[in-house]
Amino acid sequence: MRYSELRAEKLAIDSGAVEAANKTLVAARMKRSGMCWHIESGQAIPGFRALQKSGFLASAWAIMMEKRGDAANNNFAVENLAIAA
């Protein structure tokens, strides 16, 4: 790595930010006592957590539901997802 060049440009040279994001978004939600996950749900939870924490869950959910159609929209509410995430 070109540490001195990266420091001069004030760029990150460590993994602290990524590790902190993992702890906040993934580990805190998925490593609770008694939890076990299937591949599909285990891959979906971090995405929803990231959307919730960034404040984009409602807009992303509206886009997803728009693509699913009216019948699917009646079964899902973004408020319920925010609690689950």
Side-chain angles (χ1 to χ4, degrees):
M1 293 264 323
R2 305 175 328 262
Y3 291 115
S4 58
E5 292 175 32
L6 295 173
R7 280 192 188 119
E9 295 178 28
K10 300 194 189 266
L11 296 173
I13 59 170
D14 59 23
S15 61
V18 173
E19 291 176 25
N22 177 58
K23 184 177 179 182
T24 302
L25 294 174
V26 181
R29 177 62 174 89
M30 299 186 75
K31 292 183 178 180
R32 291 182 180 166
S33 179
M35 296 265 179
C36 66
W37 299 93
H38 294 285
I39 290 174
E40 295 84 11
S41 58
Q43 290 177 341
I45 291 294
F48 280 111
R49 283 282 284 180
L51 288 170
Q52 180 201 23
K53 293 287 188 181
S54 66
F56 291 111
L57 180 60
S59 57
W61 191 251
I63 292 168
M64 288 186 278
M65 288 296 100
E66 183 179 299
K67 292 181 180 188
R68 290 185 63 128
D70 291 332
N73 291 345
N74 294 331
N75 295 322
F76 298 102
V78 72
E79 295 82 18
N80 296 335
L81 283 176
I83 292 168

